[in-house]
Amino acid sequence: MDGSVTWVMDGSVESTIGTTGSLGSGVNVNSVLDPKVGMIFHSEDQAYNFYNSYAKRKGFSVRKDHLSRRSDGRIRYRHYVCSNEGSRKEHPVSMTKKSRPIERTNCMARIEFKVNNDNLWIVNRFIDEHNHPLATPSNSHMLRSHRKKLPVQRSNFSRSGIYFGAKYTQNDVPAEADYGEDAGLLLKNQSNCLTTRRLKDLETGDTQFLLDFLRTKQSEDPSFFYAIQLDEKERLTNCFWADMQSIVDYTYFGDAISFDTTYHISGDDIPFAPFIGTNHHKQIVIFGAALLLDETLESFVWLFRTFLVAMSGRQPKTIFTDNCAAISEAIATALPDTCHRLCLWNLLQSVSTHLPYLDINFQREFENFIYDVGSEDEFHKEWDSLISSYGLANVSWFKDLYSVREKWGSVYLGNSFSATMTTRQWTEDMTNLFGNHFVRKLPLTKFIIQYLKSLIHLREKEILEDYDSTQSKPVLFVDIPMLIEAAESYTRTIYVDFEHEYKSQLACLCEPVGVDGMRVTFRVYIPQKRCNGLVEFNPTETIVTCSCRKFESMGILCMHALKVLNNNNILSLPSKYILKRWTRFAKDGSVSSGQLATGGSGSQISLTMRYSRVCRKALAITLRSAVSKDALDVLEHGLDKIIAQMENVLHNATSSRQAEDVHVVDGTPRNTTGTTDICFSGFGFSAR
């Protein structure tokens, strides 16, 4: 019987299963059985590994607990508990500057073994109830008892550093090589091709490398999206791509995006322009990337429209870009419902280019001016001071910047949602991203490899932070309902910001300055500091609005609003002011139609756009289910039902009605409504 598990119920042997054997071919006992009282194991390692494997499936970590030995030193009892068992011990004498997050929750889940004289480990007691969130299958490998050093995903890279799929060769490949009809999304009709020649050229061989990379990615992942624009000679000119994870991330965090074109600051940089956002941990996420060999209005319009197709037509609330006339006009054309702002990081990068003769003192003063000005009057006063101090009255770049001040001045940004893209932290994150990850001075072949590795790195950081936010709790400044609700809702990073605002309101003074019906206006301020706010409060509906517009622009309540709530005995955080995109549950639930809705003028969505939306939705839920066999089983069972229902609908539908919207050629649905010239091939959304 050595090396096997025996299951005993009511004193009778029910079954015996070999640990390397199975319940059936290829089935490991640790992956199919749940613990039960009476199960027998033949060694300590076998007992522990069984329970630890069960814990990984369930989503918790195991810790060794009580141990009792006989007089001869042999084990009599051994308990294994959930790692959240117990509570943190208080240290009244020593106070740490920053307390570690709380992981112990007095969880009672455990398994207790009794070891008999024959060294058989018998399950004596089993408790399965947990009082804390369990880890998801995608995060379970990060639990302490399951933690292993993750292998670098080298399967995608060869030892020489070249991406396996992109069969790069040193042979000379002409830039105008024939790409064939399967080169992804080739917009070859006149409306989507440049009417001029491209302005830049790739190095010899780079075009073929790029196409091989795109083809291989799509063959590996049918949901991978890419698009190519040609010039008048039908040479590859502009290119956009996004994988499924980027598209799914956009559905959750695509409210504010940054389109970065700072490559033009240095003429020899790769013209790589990513679409960037921020997730619920204030970490950078990549929504897609473009390679631009032409920077005309026509090219930018094509790019933004292609980006919309990849994202099922959903326009962002706000887009941050460089100060470029062609980009501004393209946004007005392709993204009419999106608020256009200038990226402050780009602005600071441009200072050294346009004003190279000014020293570091000006750059420091200019940065403080951008981030710290609190009112419009103060903005004009500080601007005049900069002009006077550094003699900038006749500098055309500075004049042009002032003319578009409403697109970048901090006092003007409160009317649009910006997440964290107007903060100093965003500037630091962008500097790190392009300094350590997206080094655009590399050759294209090495840059693409670096890009793929950077995506893996950024996504692993998000998984780690997801795990930490769900498996631990922050130590509260004080145990009050508002902070308790914030800690239970927000991610750890956002909670820190919220707690900072709450602490700051304690130093604020609050005085009523006016009444208008049910609305009371308060002036909230800190004496001798530039942080005033006028707060309107409606006690009947618990609506609070501050003149600083922090909630409207960043999504968390400011200290002014919190002071008014506190002074009016509102001790709980109103749910309307907990923005889901900042919570631990930001990516929970299905991708709703509202998240994937088109940003058009309200006209009926064409079948082609609905086809795109449904495909993305189906792929998103498939991607989320990929980490769990049970989830995939549920999904597949549900799809079988849906397929049967759809076959019935299609059988009863009239073919003439379908022909009004979709024209099928060679099995590929094509839109004939004129709303877009893109046709789709499978889930790759390729066009010919």
Side-chain angles (χ1 to χ4, degrees):
M1 293 292 294
D2 189 29
S4 63
V5 178
T6 304
W7 182 2
V8 179
M9 296 291 289
D10 300 326
S12 60
V13 177
E14 294 286 338
S15 61
T16 301
I17 307 168
T19 54
T20 58
S22 60
L23 299 171
S25 178
V27 180
N28 190 307
V29 62
N30 289 345
S31 66
V32 296
L33 290 182
D34 290 347
K36 294 183 182 296
V37 173
M39 295 183 83
I40 297 176
F41 299 86
H42 295 265
S43 69
E44 180 177 6
D45 287 343
Q46 190 184 89
Y48 173 79
N49 290 336
F50 173 80
Y51 187 59
N52 197 41
S53 296
Y54 166 78
K56 185 175 183 180
R57 297 202 313 274
K58 293 283 288 187
F60 68 96
S61 179
V62 174
R63 192 174 77 245
K64 295 179 180 180
D65 193 53
H66 175 70
L67 175 66
S68 174
R69 295 182 181 274
R70 293 182 172 88
S71 58
D72 59 1
R74 291 184 302 156
I75 296 175
R76 182 192 297 271
Y77 295 103
R78 165 60 96 178
H79 298 174
Y80 300 109
V81 299
C82 172
S83 59
N84 283 33
E85 183 270 344
S87 60
R88 175 182 293 181
K89 295 181 180 179
E90 298 293 337
H91 298 281
V93 177
S94 61
M95 295 293 293
T96 58
K97 184 177 181 181
K98 183 178 180 181
S99 300
R100 293 185 295 109
I102 298 173
E103 297 179 353
R104 302 286 183 93
T105 63
N106 282 313
C107 181
M108 296 302 296
R110 66 185 58 230
I111 190 170
E112 299 178 1
F113 290 95
K114 179 180 180 181
V115 185
N116 65 17
N117 291 325
D118 296 326
N119 199 36
L120 295 178
W121 288 63
I122 305 170
V123 178
N124 195 41
R125 188 184 183 199
F126 172 60
I127 301 176
D128 196 30
E129 291 77 20
H130 296 263
N131 65 352
H132 56 90
L134 298 176
T136 62
S138 60
N139 291 338
S140 61
H141 66 279
M142 306 179 75
L143 294 164
R144 187 177 301 276
S145 66
H146 316 300
R147 198 174 296 170
K148 297 179 181 179
K149 188 175 181 180
L150 292 176
V152 179
Q153 300 186 25
R154 294 194 176 112
S155 57
N156 292 332
F157 305 96
S158 69
R159 291 180 181 177
S160 60
I162 299 299
Y163 182 71
F164 267 132
K167 301 178 181 65
Y168 177 70
T169 173
Q170 296 295 332
N171 297 334
D172 292 340
V173 180
E176 52 276 342
D178 179 15
Y179 310 127
E181 290 189 342
D182 62 341
L185 186 57
L186 285 176
L187 309 185
K188 297 179 68 172
N189 52 351
Q190 191 64 28
S191 63
N192 288 294
C193 283
L194 282 174
T195 56
T196 58
R197 299 176 64 180
R198 68 190 186 193
L199 302 180
K200 299 179 181 179
D201 289 313
L202 290 172
E203 296 293 329
T204 301
D206 282 352
T207 301
Q208 188 62 53
F209 176 87
L210 180 62
L211 289 173
D212 285 345
F213 160 71
L214 296 173
R215 287 169 176 155
T216 302
K217 291 299 290 181
Q218 194 175 74
S219 67
E220 294 173 348
D221 177 10
S223 62
F224 183 84
F225 179 101
Y226 74 95
I228 292 171
Q229 187 184 36
L230 310 178
D231 67 2
E232 64 177 0
K233 291 191 173 184
E234 295 207 352
R235 298 179 303 175
L236 186 151
T237 301
N238 298 316
C239 176
F240 169 80
W241 68 88
D243 64 11
M244 190 59 214
Q245 186 62 58
S246 293
I247 295 170
V248 171
D249 285 341
Y250 181 83
T251 65
Y252 297 110
F253 309 117
D255 39 20
I257 68 173
S258 175
F259 174 61
D260 184 83
T261 54
T262 50
Y263 61 81
H264 63 73
I265 293 177
S266 174
D268 57 350
D269 282 5
I270 291 176
F272 169 76
F275 290 87
I276 303 170
T278 181
N279 65 15
H280 50 326
H281 305 294
K282 299 202 303 185
Q283 297 170 323
I284 283 179
V285 289
I286 307 299
F287 298 138
L291 198 67
L292 300 174
L293 301 181
D294 183 85
E295 298 175 20
T296 60
L297 169 63
E298 199 174 356
S299 289
F300 287 123
V301 169
W302 170 87
L303 177 61
F304 294 141
R305 285 177 173 168
T306 302
F307 178 79
L308 275 187
V309 172
M311 305 303 164
S312 300
R314 180 194 173 200
Q315 296 187 35
K317 293 179 181 178
T318 310
I319 184 170
F320 292 84
T321 73
D322 192 13
N323 187 17
C324 170
I327 292 178
S328 297
E329 189 173 347
I331 290 172
T333 301
L335 304 171
D337 298 331
T338 298
C339 181
H340 180 212
R341 302 296 191 191
L342 299 187
C343 178
L344 300 185
W345 180 73
N346 285 0
L347 203 58
L348 293 172
Q349 297 292 307
S350 301
V351 169
S352 58
T353 301
H354 295 281
L355 304 172
Y357 52 87
L358 294 178
D359 59 17
I360 189 66
N361 291 326
F362 170 77
Q363 293 188 14
R364 187 180 296 111
E365 284 189 44
F366 187 60
E367 182 176 340
N368 291 335
F369 165 74
I370 285 178
Y371 290 110
D372 296 340
V373 168
S375 67
E376 190 169 354
D377 290 340
E378 188 180 353
F379 179 91
H380 294 297
K381 180 181 177 181
E382 293 294 331
W383 181 268
D384 292 339
S385 176
L386 282 173
I387 290 178
S388 173
S389 300
Y390 293 93
L392 301 172
N394 297 320
V395 177
S396 58
W397 181 78
F398 222 55
K399 289 181 178 179
D400 293 340
L401 194 60
Y402 184 77
S403 67
V404 293
R405 60 190 177 279
E406 292 186 356
K407 289 189 174 183
W408 59 270
S410 57
V411 296
Y412 304 106
L413 299 181
N415 294 325
S416 61
F417 185 76
S418 60
T420 61
M421 296 182 185
T422 57
T423 63
R424 293 179 188 270
Q425 180 184 335
W426 179 258
T427 299
E428 296 172 2
D429 291 343
M430 290 288 282
T431 301
N432 176 65
L433 180 69
F434 287 96
N436 299 330
H437 297 287
F438 297 159
V439 183
R440 289 183 284 208
K441 293 188 180 297
L442 292 173
L444 180 63
T445 53
K446 292 184 178 180
F447 179 83
I448 292 295
I449 295 166
Q450 180 197 57
Y451 170 80
L452 294 173
K453 291 181 177 179
S454 297
L455 278 185
I456 293 172
H457 173 73
L458 293 173
R459 289 167 182 174
E460 286 182 346
K461 284 179 62 178
E462 179 179 339
I463 291 174
L464 177 61
E465 197 59 41
D466 279 341
Y467 168 81
D468 288 338
S469 286
T470 56
Q471 298 300 311
S472 62
K473 295 180 180 179
V475 178
L476 303 187
F477 165 63
V478 60
D479 287 337
I480 60 172
M482 187 171 289
L483 290 183
I484 292 173
E485 292 165 0
E488 291 176 348
S489 301
Y490 289 131
T491 60
R492 294 194 313 167
T493 307
I494 300 302
Y495 174 78
V496 170
D497 290 348
F498 182 85
E499 187 177 82
H500 172 74
E501 295 294 328
Y502 190 87
K503 288 180 179 178
S504 299
Q505 65 91 16
L506 297 176
C508 291
L509 299 180
C510 180
E511 57 187 31
V513 294
V515 179
D516 183 10
M518 296 301 298
R519 291 182 301 176
V520 183
T521 302
F522 296 87
R523 176 174 174 256
V524 181
Y525 62 98
I526 297 179
Q528 301 178 348
K529 288 191 176 182
R530 298 183 303 179
C531 52
N532 298 341
L534 287 177
V535 181
E536 291 185 356
F537 176 61
N538 184 330
T540 303
E541 301 179 6
T542 321
I543 297 176
V544 60
T545 306
C546 183
S547 60
C548 75
R549 311 289 290 176
K550 187 180 184 73
F551 180 77
E552 289 77 10
S553 62
M554 295 188 63
I556 63 172
L557 286 177
C558 62
M559 60 180 176
H560 313 114
L562 291 173
K563 183 67 175 182
V564 170
L565 291 177
N566 199 26
N567 272 20
N568 286 273
N569 297 322
I570 307 298
L571 303 181
S572 296
L573 183 60
S575 59
K576 64 170 71 76
Y577 296 115
I578 301 177
L579 207 62
K580 185 180 178 182
R581 67 106 63 225
W582 292 130
T583 68
R584 296 186 289 125
F585 321 106
K587 301 175 81 169
D588 285 0
S590 62
V591 181
S592 67
S593 299
Q595 288 174 299
L596 292 175
T598 59
S601 59
S603 60
Q604 184 178 3
I605 304 172
S606 70
L607 280 183
T608 303
M609 290 302 294
R610 292 189 66 186
Y611 168 80
S612 170
R613 187 183 69 192
V614 172
C615 284
R616 300 296 181 201
K617 199 170 184 178
L619 286 166
I621 189 62
T622 304
L623 185 67
R624 291 201 63 183
S625 304
V627 295
S628 169
K629 178 183 179 300
D630 293 338
L632 284 174
D633 289 341
V634 171
L635 179 61
E636 187 172 14
H637 182 65
L639 285 175
D640 289 340
K641 291 183 178 180
I642 293 174
I643 291 171
Q645 293 174 358
M646 292 309 303
E647 289 293 343
N648 185 51
V649 171
L650 293 173
H651 178 73
N652 296 329
T654 59
S655 58
S656 59
R657 179 62 183 273
Q658 298 175 28
E660 290 176 3
D661 293 306
V662 177
H663 175 54
V664 179
V665 178
D666 298 329
T668 302
R670 297 176 180 264
N671 178 27
T672 59
T673 61
T675 57
T676 177
D677 296 309
I678 300 172
C679 62
F680 305 97
S681 175
F683 289 123
F685 295 86
S686 303
R688 299 187 269 224

